[in-house]
């Protein structure tokens, strides 16, 4: 039954807000500061004053229009959604007339999904995607944790079925997905080996990895040990290169698509022995993502996991943030602070 209507609260008085937009695919400097209409909530939406928005690897790929196949989703000739930004945190400043769960002033995170729009001082999001940030958890930290955790959690829980004693190797253990995966798996009682570059060894150890391997000394395929699950969080290896690391019924998971992994994923129900698969966590229903965000932020409030923030930039310096993410060596999240 629809919620009873109630008077629409005042929306912000300004008619425009500042955003960073792009009108063509290309290098980071295609991003430009601009004014866009102040978002107004639909009946089931809220508007946030954005305090932090993550700059994800997917977003820098969208900006570049590379791989070109991704343009089927983002726009063939030019970007369909001019303003990127999918993982946001901030204060609710306006709520739609049917929204009863969220109030003005609430400190929240939200995942905007394919609509994006978070590289802005204000963004409209569906109320169903909004999750309160618990006391004791910073908004920046919450955005960082939800960015990586929303992928790491379903990979570990729904695909790897990690439980106490699972022998797990995480490749790319310092990235947004990897840093969350190491912490969540350690919290679940797994025996975690993290593989990362030399600058991130101490960080990955502090996140709960029992063993940390510097990939510049020992490439992932030469790591010693046998694993129930190998999770390549950055898509820098392959099933073929890592197969020998797996236990007889072990599973290789990757976050990054290739023709080979798509075929293996499709054939997995028929496969025996060691198998491999990819999942696409961004395509899950908004309600599932919101429920996972509640879980992740609850763990953060309990001190079991934390959001890792590498660097922050003012919104106006989004191009610099994109160049840093493009370089491929961030630890945890890069955030824009509108
Ligand atoms: N399938 C899905 O549903 C899904 C969802 C979210 C993200 N993704 C994808 O997952 C990937 C990872 O995302 P992310 O946000 O975790 O990325 P990220 O934060 O940008 O990852 C950065 C990390 O990558 C590591 N790295 C760079 N080059 C490497 C190499 N050659 N070998 C091993 N590690 C290397 C770096 O580690 P060191 O500097 O320590 O070496 C760095 O810490 C992206 O491609 C993203 O699009 C997929």
């Amino acid at each position: 039954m629809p919620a009873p209507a109630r008077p629409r609260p005042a929306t912000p008085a300004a008619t425009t807000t500042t955003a960073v937009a792009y009108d063509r695919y290309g290098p980071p400097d295609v991003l430009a500061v601009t004014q866009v209409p102040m978002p107004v909530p639909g009946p089931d939406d809220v508007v946030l004053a954005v305090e932090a928005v993550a700059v994800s690897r997917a977003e820098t790929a969208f900006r570049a229009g590379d791989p070109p196949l991704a343009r089927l989703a983002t726009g063939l000739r030019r970007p369909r959604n001019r303003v990127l930004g999918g993982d946001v945190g901030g204060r609710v400043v306006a709520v739609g007339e049917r929204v009863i769960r969220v109030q003005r002033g609430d400190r929240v995170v939200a995942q905007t999904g394919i609509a994006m729009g978070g590289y802005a001082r204000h963004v409209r999001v569906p109320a169903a995607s909004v999750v309160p940030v618990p006391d004791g958890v910073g908004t920046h930290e919450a955005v960082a944790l939800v960015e990586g955790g929303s992928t790491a959690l379903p990979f570990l829980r729904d695909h790897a079925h990690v439980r106490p004693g699972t022998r797990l190797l995480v490749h790319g253990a310092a990235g947004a997905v990897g840093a969350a995966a190491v912490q969540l798996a350690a919290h679940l009682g797994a025996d975690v080996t993290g593989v990362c570059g030399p600058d991130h060894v101490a960080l990955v150890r502090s996140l709960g990895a029992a063993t940390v391997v510097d990939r510049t000394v020992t490439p992932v395929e030469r790591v010693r040990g046998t694993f129930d699950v190998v999770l390549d969080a950055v898509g820098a290896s392959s099933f073929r290169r890592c197969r020998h690391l797996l236990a007889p019924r072990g599973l290789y998971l990757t976050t990054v698509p290739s023709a080979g992994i798509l075929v293996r994923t499709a054939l997995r129900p028929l496969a025996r022995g060691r198998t491999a698969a990819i999942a696409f966590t961004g395509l899950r229903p908004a309600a599932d993502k919101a429920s996972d965000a509640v879980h992740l932020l609850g763990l953060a409030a309990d001190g079991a996991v934390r959001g890792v923030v590498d660097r922050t930039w003012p919104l106006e310096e989004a191009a610099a943030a994109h160049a840093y993410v493009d370089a491929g060596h961030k630890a945890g999240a890069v955030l824009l602070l509108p």
Side-chain angles (χ1 to χ4, degrees):
M1 203 169 80
R6 60 177 185 168
R8 175 182 293 211
T11 52
T15 57
T16 64
T17 191
T18 304
V20 166
Y22 72 130
D23 291 306
R24 62 187 172 88
Y25 296 116
D29 64 10
V30 299
L31 299 169
V33 179
T34 186
Q35 292 294 307
V36 296
M38 175 64 77
V40 175
D44 299 305
D45 300 327
V46 306
V47 172
L48 307 185
V50 181
E51 291 173 13
V53 53
V55 176
S56 72
R57 282 294 279 275
E59 287 162 17
T60 64
F62 290 167
R63 183 217 71 230
D66 187 24
L69 207 56
R71 298 188 192 194
L72 290 174
T74 59
L76 279 183
R77 294 167 139 223
R78 63 181 65 86
R80 207 174 286 127
N81 293 336
R82 299 177 64 227
V83 180
L84 294 166
D87 289 290
V88 298
R91 294 267 176 195
V92 176
V93 292
V95 301
E97 61 198 17
R98 284 205 295 259
V99 177
I100 51 174
R101 212 173 48 82
V102 185
Q103 295 185 348
R104 289 179 73 190
D106 286 356
R107 193 167 64 95
V108 301
V109 293
Q111 294 174 282
T112 68
I114 194 75
M116 297 274 169
Y119 292 4
R121 298 235 156 87
H122 298 87
V123 63
R124 177 177 54 223
V125 296
S129 75
V130 165
V131 168
V133 179
D135 291 343
V137 180
T139 307
H140 298 186
E141 188 194 342
V143 173
L145 178 61
V146 170
E147 185 212 345
S150 311
T151 295
L153 179 61
F155 264 86
L156 297 176
R157 179 193 58 201
D158 306 337
H159 300 281
H161 306 294
V162 166
R163 51 179 186 259
T166 299
R167 297 164 293 176
L168 171 73
L169 182 148
V170 180
H171 191 35
V177 176
V182 167
Q183 295 183 83
L184 290 167
H187 177 68
L188 290 167
D191 179 8
V192 182
T193 296
V195 181
C196 61
D199 294 344
H200 297 140
V201 167
L203 169 72
V204 173
R205 188 165 288 122
S206 77
L207 297 176
T211 307
V212 184
V213 175
D214 175 347
R215 68 180 174 84
T216 63
V217 175
T218 309
V220 63
E221 62 271 21
R222 298 221 198 108
V223 171
R224 294 169 74 100
T226 300
F227 301 91
D228 302 303
V229 180
V230 170
L231 168 59
D232 186 343
V234 290
S237 69
S238 66
F239 180 49
R240 192 173 51 77
R241 277 171 57 201
C242 294
R243 187 178 194 136
H244 62 280
L245 300 174
L246 292 169
R249 297 184 63 79
L251 172 64
Y252 173 89
L253 288 168
T254 181
T255 57
V256 178
S258 64
I261 200 70
L262 292 171
V263 170
R264 287 193 185 279
T265 305
L267 297 179
R268 195 171 162 222
L270 308 173
R272 289 160 190 266
R274 301 172 176 97
T275 55
I278 186 169
F280 295 100
T281 57
L283 304 178
R284 297 179 311 135
D288 291 0
K289 291 196 250 183
S291 127
D292 282 353
V294 170
H295 179 63
L296 290 164
L297 295 177
L299 291 176
D302 292 344
V305 300
R306 66 186 171 94
V308 176
V309 177
D310 183 325
R311 286 186 66 175
T312 65
W313 272 268
L315 178 68
E316 291 76 6
E317 294 176 32
H322 266 239
Y324 185 75
V325 174
D326 274 347
H329 294 287
K330 71 181 172 73
V334 161
L335 304 178
L336 297 177
L337 309 183

